[in-house]
Every structure is written in structure tokens, then in C-alpha cells.
Amino acid sequence: MKKIILTGDRPTGRLHVGHYVGSLRRRVELQNSGEFDKINIMIADAQALTDNFDNPEKVRQNIIEVALDYLACGLDPKKSTLFIQSHVAELTEFTFYYMNLVTVARLQRNPTVKNEIQMRNFEQSIPVGFFNYPISQAADITAFKANVVPVGEYQIPMIEQTREIVHKFNTVYAPVLVEPKALLPENDACGRLPGIDGKAKMSKSLGNCIYLADSADDVKKKIMSMYTDPTHLLVSDPGHLEGNTVFTYLDAFCKDEHFERYLPEYANLDELKGHYTRGGLGDVKVKKFLNNVMQEELEPIRTRRKEFEKDIPEIYNILKAGSEDARNTAAKTLSEVKSAMRINYFEDEELIKAQAEKYEAE
Ligand code: TRP
């Protein structure tokens, strides 16, 4: 079977290091592994509108930001199809048909939707489009027959919902669609990178994000201000790792080789953690190390971003070409879906002949 990837992001802001360790870094590795037949990366503007319908300008402005972040990280339009969701009209058609295969109760049970409804205070006034977005996400994935979907942990319920839709479709109509699997981040820290204030999630409104496009200075300032262990007052005090943002970031970013370069007194992160918990290791030293580690990873991204920023029209061209390519793929699957659903009347000569004969016989 072919190996096909689809994944994407909502364009509601620049991408941050949480996006990076949660999925972006992995996508680039997968792209460069050469193991995949097709890689589709989508800017999910239509999905972003499901809870930003009254702020289309925000979505519009952030298309280019997300595209720049993608390219800066090393997604390569020669190897991956980068496209815009709203420009693949077929996706809405899939969504319309899949809506018949899902109950309202099932959508209400979707934990991600539940959580987001709470976060957005929608309660009794949930827009239908928002409520429906897991179905639209199933359309995104199945239109490309993707079997691998690299996403963060909070997206698992969406993949589960997609698998159910695929199963139902294939059972009721014909086995046209492919059941996808989520490809999750390498470890817990990558999956749920907290904000620099230690809050569970990075969010623009909390002002606790490190963005991929942040300057070296900003990154350093943010790292030096990171939440650590409030009980670790003196260097000699034993420190705690649980909920300690600096160590969570090290779990996500640090490799053994970084110790050779920046902190040769320790062989690896376990040794550093050991010293911290025993006492005698100050936060500033750990933060400086984290800064070195993160700068090393972010510097090439920043430099590439600057290069791409020099030719913005070209980026729109890339997205336009990608969207056309994505449309071709989606149209092929849609035609199979419509045949399976028996709504391909004009291509079905058998149908036309049979109807004609029925009336001739009368
Ligand atoms: N929901 C994803 C996010 O918020 C974006 C997205 C839309 C997506 N459709 C998708 C991700 C399909 C994976 C597969 O970032």
C-alpha cells in the first residue's frame, strides 16, 4: 500500500516551538526520509474560520506566516504539496456526504470538541460549522487517502472520528476510503510543550509562546524568564523536575551531543537531572544550557525564514500550485466516492440504459 501523509495547521498566528516539536520537526524528517509516496501539508484556513468567522482578516494575514514557518523549517515544495484548504473545493463536498454518517451525539462526545467549546464559551451557541469541524477534518484526511497523520496528542479524537467515518463509508457503500493512523510526537514533552510560564498550553493570548520567528535575543529573554521550581530558592536546595518548564523543554530539545558542546561536565540529561534533584545546581546554569540548545536548532530556521521573506509573491505561487495539485488528488477520490454512493448518474451508462428500457416496456 502507498504511504501517504496529510497534516496541517490552522493559520491563526505564527507557529511556535510547540508546533515544532509536536509535529513540524517530524514532518521534515519524514519528508526527507524518502519513504513516503506523497506528503500533503495543508494550511487549514476554512477550519480556522469555524471559530474565527467574524475575523477573516486574522486568517488572511496568517496564511503567509504559516507558509514562511513551514518553508523555514525545511518543508520543501519539491517534495511536499503545500496547499490551502479553502482552495480545494472538493473538501466541502466530502464533508457534506460524511455528515450523514455521524450522529450529533457522537460529535458531542468528541473530547477535543467538548474542550474547545468550553474554552471558547460557546456553550449554548455553538456554530454548526464549528461543531462539524471533526467531519471536515475527516474530509481533509480521506480526500488524499492519507494513512499517516502526524499530529499532536490533542488531535487523537479527530483521527478516531475519521476512522469511524471511513469504516462506516466503506461498509455502507464500497471500500474506497483508507483508515488513517495518527503519528504522535516522540515523547510527552514534545506532545505537550507548556508555555514559558509553565501553563499547560502555549497560546498567543497568554503571551507565553516562543515563536519560530523570534529573534535570538527574544528567545534568550524568554528562556531566562521561564517558570522552574518555586521551591528551589537556593542553589543548594534540591530541585524538582515535575512541572519544571526548563526541564520539559530540555526533554523536547536536548540530545546527548549538546552536552559535549555546551556542558561537558555532564554526559547526558539524566546526569543533569540527577544533580538538579540532589541540589547544588542553579536554574540560571540550566537555562543557559537550554538557550544554547534551542538557539542551535532555531538559528537555521530563522536564517531560512529571512531568505524566503525576500520573495513573498513566490510563496503565494508555491501555495497556488500546491492547491491545484491537491485539488486534482481530491477530485479523483471524490469521483470514486460518488460512484460508491451511486450518485454518478451521467457516467453510468448502465443506469441510463436500464431507465430507458423500463420506460420502453411501459
Ligand atoms: N486541527 C488541526 C489543528 O488545529 C488542523 C487540521 C485541519 C488538520 N485538518 C487536519 C490536522 C487534518 C491533521 C489532519 O492544527
Side-chain angles (χ1 to χ4, degrees):
M1 192 164 67
K2 286 204 162 172
K3 287 174 83 178
I4 300 173
I5 288 179
L6 178 117
T7 188
D9 301 274
R10 298 181 191 190
T12 53
R14 287 183 166 179
L15 301 181
H16 52 60
V17 291
H19 294 113
Y20 181 70
V21 295
S23 167
L24 263 173
R25 180 169 65 184
R26 171 67 83 62
R27 288 180 210 171
V28 177
E29 281 166 20
L30 295 173
Q31 168 194 272
N32 296 337
S33 75
E35 276 177 34
F36 287 83
D37 297 285
K38 183 102 184 162
I39 300 178
N40 306 285
I41 312 285
M42 178 180 78
I43 301 184
D45 62 336
Q47 189 177 104
L49 286 168
T50 65
D51 63 335
N52 289 283
F53 66 90
D54 51 354
N55 196 358
E57 200 52 35
K58 171 164 138 190
V59 174
R60 181 181 172 84
Q61 294 300 329
N62 280 306
I63 300 276
I64 194 75
E65 300 298 337
V66 172
L68 281 166
D69 286 330
Y70 281 169
L71 295 165
C73 284
L75 287 175
D76 177 351
K78 290 198 198 76
K79 299 179 187 159
S80 299
T81 302
L82 309 181
F83 72 97
I84 300 186
Q85 188 182 25
S86 65
H87 281 62
V88 182
E90 287 75 9
L91 296 176
T92 57
E93 224 174 313
F94 285 99
T95 306
F96 193 70
Y97 298 129
Y98 294 170
M99 282 160 72
N100 299 327
L101 309 176
V102 182
T103 65
V104 171
R106 175 64 181 88
L107 282 178
Q108 277 165 336
R109 275 202 309 276
N110 184 311
T112 305
V113 175
K114 249 189 183 165
N115 188 4
E116 288 180 324
I117 285 172
Q118 250 182 359
M119 266 167 35
R120 288 167 179 71
N121 294 321
F122 279 154
E123 274 120 31
Q124 289 314 306
S125 56
I126 310 163
V128 174
F130 178 80
F131 190 58
N132 201 36
Y133 97 75
I135 301 180
S136 132
Q137 197 155 328
D140 302 335
I141 296 168
T142 54
F144 298 89
K145 298 197 174 176
N147 39 18
V148 179
V149 186
V151 280
E153 214 169 312
Y154 66 101
Q155 288 288 315
I156 294 174
M158 300 299 157
I159 311 299
E160 199 41 53
Q161 184 108 55
T162 303
R163 293 169 61 86
E164 284 175 33
I165 290 171
V166 168
H167 184 76
K168 186 103 189 213
F169 185 98
N170 287 349
T171 311
V172 173
Y173 302 115
V176 168
L177 302 178
V178 176
E179 280 191 34
K181 280 209 176 75
L183 186 62
L184 294 174
E186 296 87 324
N187 62 34
D188 278 357
C190 294
R192 315 166 180 231
L193 200 71
I196 56 169
D197 56 359
K199 296 254 165 60
K201 233 185 153 178
M202 251 181 268
S203 101
K204 199 160 131 190
S205 50
L206 293 173
N208 61 357
C209 308
I210 298 179
Y211 293 99
L212 292 171
D214 276 349
S215 70
D217 260 7
D218 284 343
V219 172
K220 183 161 188 201
K221 270 190 214 126
K222 289 179 184 181
I223 291 174
M224 296 317 282
S225 76
M226 257 183 194
Y227 179 84
T228 56
D229 169 11
T231 69
H232 187 236
L233 299 172
L234 303 171
V235 171
S236 55
D237 287 339
H240 298 90
L241 303 171
E242 182 89 8
N244 189 321
T245 316
V246 177
F247 280 96
T248 310
Y249 274 60
L250 283 173
D251 281 331
F253 278 96
C254 165
K255 301 187 205 104
D256 288 355
E257 66 197 60
H258 290 127
F259 283 93
E260 281 163 46
R261 283 202 278 287
Y262 305 117
L263 210 54
E265 310 94 282
Y266 305 90
N268 54 41
L269 191 51
D270 285 338
E271 279 188 16
L272 190 75
K273 285 178 176 174
H275 192 184
Y276 191 79
T277 48
R278 280 196 306 279
L281 176 58
D283 283 347
V284 171
K285 187 162 176 181
V286 187
K287 284 177 172 176
K288 283 191 170 152
F289 175 59
L290 175 63
N291 181 57
N292 283 326
V293 170
M294 285 184 67
Q295 298 289 359
E296 184 182 309
E297 187 124 1
L298 296 178
E299 181 54 33
I301 297 176
R302 266 194 302 262
T303 311
R304 261 196 307 264
R305 200 182 204 275
K306 289 257 152 30
E307 276 308 302
F308 284 111
E309 285 168 3
K310 289 180 188 157
D311 194 356
I312 295 295
E314 176 54 18
I315 314 254
Y316 283 101
N317 285 336
I318 289 170
L319 295 174
K320 190 171 176 210
S323 301
E324 275 158 24
D325 176 71
R327 221 179 153 173
N328 287 332
T329 311
K332 259 189 224 138
T333 311
L334 184 61
S335 138
E336 291 173 45
V337 157
K338 288 172 117 172
S339 309
M341 291 178 68
R342 317 286 289 144
I343 54 175
N344 59 335
Y345 317 113
F346 307 133
E347 282 111 65
D348 191 346
E349 279 170 31
E350 290 289 307
L351 168 77
I352 298 170
K353 212 169 99 197
Q355 295 292 3
E357 278 166 8
K358 189 171 87 189
Y359 277 91
E360 272 162 28
E362 268 179 20

